[in-house]
Amino acid sequence: MSVVSRFAPSPTGRLHLGHAFAAIQAHDHARAEGGAFLLRIEDIDGTRSREEHVAGIVEDLAWLGLAWDGPVVRQSARLDEYERALADLRGRALLYPCFCTRADIAASVSAPHRGPDGLVYPGTCRRLNPGAAAARVAAGQAHAWRLDMAGAVAYAGLLTWNDLVVGTQIAEPMAFGDVVLARKDAPASYHLAVTVDDAAQRVTDVVRGRDLFRATDIHRLLQALLGLPTPVYRHHDLLLGPDGERLAKRNGVPALADMRAAGVDGVELAAGLRAGRLPIGFTARDA
Ligand code: GLU
């Protein structure tokens, strides 16, 4: 089967060197095998996504000399697909509505339990009477949909996935608790949308940063629940700035658009990143 990889940025800010590094890895991974490279815009978060950043992403990739295959897929155009997956899980009682606010959650836990992704939800709304919860949903009360993690894991059994760098992993999604699959303010969560889309786009190799390594446990579980194929994964090192921190706008990393405007040659920059020539002070590390 021919390799299909993708770059899937969220248009919530301008791309920087770390994004260039990630896009090049995903692109070259597929191209080295004569495979396809796709571009997906993860603009499901309507409150934070900006059209100007979508245009910027397209310009930045072209400037780096990275060409993608087929049309650019936008998650905002795929909400029906996410709703179909949610309805499937809801119909099997694997989801429950959660009415908690962040403040409710903070107030309800005396000894907060932290998972790989922050605070683990204490399960308050899982214990609501289902009829009463359904009535609150019908009455239009704001709610998220959470996965009943224990029920999901019981259904799916033991799951593994393969990382091309570090090998076979046993998925431990329980550590995340009852994750949100549809948010109060967005029709699907990152975890649901990314899993549905990687399958729909027939992505065979997910190449992305190590920051998403453990999240793959959740994606693997969702694949099992939804009957979707499991790609192989390659989680690459992250670029760290001179301060040893992951690159982010807040630590003053220049945007690719600024480098472009300053006359930097994007293709040369990409060649340098490929050859491991990083700007002074930057390192690529397993963070
Ligand atoms: N949209 C995610 C991000 O920008 C990346 C998703 C992925 O590669 O799985 O962090």
Side-chain angles (χ1 to χ4, degrees):
M1 187 172 53
S2 162
V3 170
V4 180
S5 73
R6 83 311 191 266
F7 178 52
S10 308
T12 54
R14 299 194 300 166
L15 301 190
H16 53 59
L17 214 53
H19 296 108
F21 187 67
I24 290 166
Q25 304 226 23
H27 169 273
D28 290 5
H29 181 90
R31 294 297 190 225
E33 303 289 326
F37 171 65
L38 311 179
L39 174 60
R40 181 169 75 231
I41 302 293
E42 303 214 320
D43 57 350
I44 198 130
D45 185 340
T47 55
R48 294 176 60 227
S49 298
R50 297 268 178 284
E51 230 21 70
E52 72 205 67
H53 296 316
V54 177
I57 289 165
V58 165
E59 287 167 32
D60 288 339
L61 293 183
W63 171 70
L64 289 165
L66 303 179
W68 58 89
D69 296 298
V72 178
V73 167
R74 306 214 17 181
Q75 289 191 327
S76 55
R78 295 184 37 76
L79 305 187
D80 290 352
E81 296 303 317
Y82 311 139
E83 181 44 41
R84 211 193 314 268
L86 289 166
D88 175 355
L89 298 174
R90 229 181 265 127
R92 291 146 66 196
L94 290 171
L95 300 186
Y96 62 86
C98 173
F99 307 94
C100 293
T101 60
R102 277 175 207 275
D104 290 336
I105 297 172
S108 69
V109 284
S110 47
H113 180 56
R114 295 195 78 78
D117 221 6
L119 205 65
V120 170
Y121 179 63
T124 319
C125 287
R126 190 185 342 107
R127 292 183 282 272
L128 293 176
N129 171 294
R136 287 167 73 175
V137 170
Q141 189 174 344
H143 60 282
W145 288 95
R146 287 185 181 273
L147 184 66
D148 174 355
M149 185 57 85
V153 166
Y155 174 92
L158 178 71
L159 297 172
T160 62
W161 54 272
N162 187 30
D163 184 278
L164 293 172
V165 182
V166 290
T168 302
Q169 303 293 311
I170 294 176
E172 290 173 1
M174 277 297 262
F176 288 85
D178 293 352
V179 288
V180 169
L181 293 191
R183 291 167 27 180
K184 276 183 189 169
D185 60 352
S189 72
Y190 157 68
H191 297 306
L192 182 81
V194 81
T195 306
V196 168
D197 286 350
D198 282 336
Q201 293 187 279
R202 300 180 196 284
V203 171
T204 61
D205 293 44
V206 172
V207 179
R208 62 184 173 193
R210 297 262 320 176
D211 52 327
L212 291 168
F213 192 92
R214 285 272 63 107
T216 306
D217 290 353
I218 301 173
H219 306 166
R220 179 67 189 91
L221 174 63
L222 293 175
Q223 287 154 10
L225 299 178
L226 296 168
L228 303 176
T230 301
V232 294
Y233 291 83
R234 185 158 79 75
H235 291 96
H236 59 71
D237 288 348
L238 300 177
L239 272 197
L240 306 183
D243 54 1
E245 296 288 323
R246 269 183 64 194
L247 303 191
K249 263 205 317 238
R250 66 184 137 66
N251 43 28
V253 178
L256 298 181
D258 291 336
M259 300 172 85
R260 219 165 1 105
V264 173
D265 184 322
V267 173
E268 259 175 42
L269 176 79
L273 290 174
R274 286 187 175 100
R277 283 196 306 277
L278 303 175
I280 292 172
F282 287 79
T283 48
R285 237 183 299 140
D286 170 0

